[in-house]
C-alpha cells in the first residue's frame, strides 16, 4: 500500500484509487474507458450483457453496472474519470451522478450548491 494512503479508510466516504485497486479492477475500468469509442458505445446500447461478457466482468461488476450503482462502482474501485464516460452513454450528468451518490434527488442536491440554478 502507498504509505501516503495509510489510514485513509478511516475517513468516511473516502475510497482510494491506487495501484492495488487499479490492478484488481482493470477489466471494469477498461470496460468503461472503452466508452470513448463510438463503436463500443453503440455495442453497449444494443447489447449491455454482451459487452459486459466480452469485457469479462465479474457477476458482481455486472450487477453494479445493471443497477447503475454509481457509489457502489466507486466503492468497488472504478475510477471516476472513466465512470463519467459511462454516465454520458446512459444520459446522466456529473451533477445527477453526484446527487445519486449522496442519496439525494437532483433538486435537493442542487440546493446545496453555491449556484443552485447552474446546470
Amino acid at each position: 500500500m502507498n504509505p501516503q494512503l495509510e489510514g485513509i479508510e478511516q475517513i468516511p466516504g473516502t475510497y482510494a484509487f491506487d495501484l492495488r485497486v487499479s490492478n484488481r479492477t482493470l477489466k471494469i475500468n477498461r470496460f468503461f474507458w472503452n466508452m470513448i469509442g463510438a463503436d463500443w458505445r453503440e455495442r453497449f446500447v444494443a447489447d449491455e450483457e454482451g459487452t459486459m461478457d466480452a469485457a469479462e466482468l465479474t457477476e458482481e461488476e455486472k450487477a453494479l453496472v445493471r443497477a447503475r450503482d454509481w457509489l457502489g462502482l466507486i466503492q468497488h474501485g472504478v475510477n471516476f474519470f472513466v465512470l463519467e464516460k459511462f454516465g454520458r452513454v446512459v444520459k446522466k450528468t456529473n451533477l445527477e451522478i453526484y446527487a445519486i451518490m449522496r442519496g439525494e434527488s437532483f433538486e435537493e442536491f442542487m440546493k446545496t450548491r453555491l449556484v443552485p440554478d447552474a446546470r
Side-chain angles (χ1 to χ4, degrees):
M1 176 178 226
N2 181 337
Q4 294 176 338
L5 297 177
E6 194 171 318
I8 195 88
E9 65 281 351
Q10 309 273 331
I11 303 170
T14 302
Y15 313 101
F17 184 83
D18 60 7
L19 189 55
R20 211 170 28 117
V21 173
S22 176
N23 284 328
R24 179 178 54 78
T25 60
L26 179 63
K27 288 180 181 178
I28 193 166
N29 278 294
R30 188 171 287 151
F31 169 78
F32 289 128
W33 173 254
N34 284 335
M35 297 290 174
I36 64 172
D39 58 331
W40 187 259
R41 291 191 303 269
E42 291 166 7
R43 187 174 167 191
F44 175 81
V45 169
D47 182 13
E48 289 189 24
E49 294 298 319
T51 53
M52 290 190 289
D53 288 341
E56 300 178 7
L57 300 189
T58 66
E59 288 306 315
E60 177 188 6
E61 292 167 340
K62 289 177 185 180
L64 290 166
V65 173
R66 286 183 202 111
R68 309 299 194 253
D69 183 351
W70 305 102
L71 183 55
L73 287 161
I74 293 292
Q75 291 168 332
H76 180 71
V78 172
N79 182 293
F80 187 77
F81 297 106
V82 298
L83 194 57
E84 286 180 305
K85 293 167 187 0
F86 180 57
R88 294 309 157 273
V89 174
V90 296
K91 312 254 188 285
K92 291 286 182 200
T93 67
N94 285 4
L95 294 173
E96 290 170 312
I97 294 170
Y98 302 153
I100 293 166
M101 289 173 126
R102 286 175 46 148
E104 298 173 342
S105 72
F106 180 69
E107 294 74 23
E108 290 169 328
F109 175 76
M110 290 307 292
K111 289 177 186 173
T112 70
R113 307 294 88 198
L114 292 175
V115 185
D117 295 326
R119 297 286 189 259

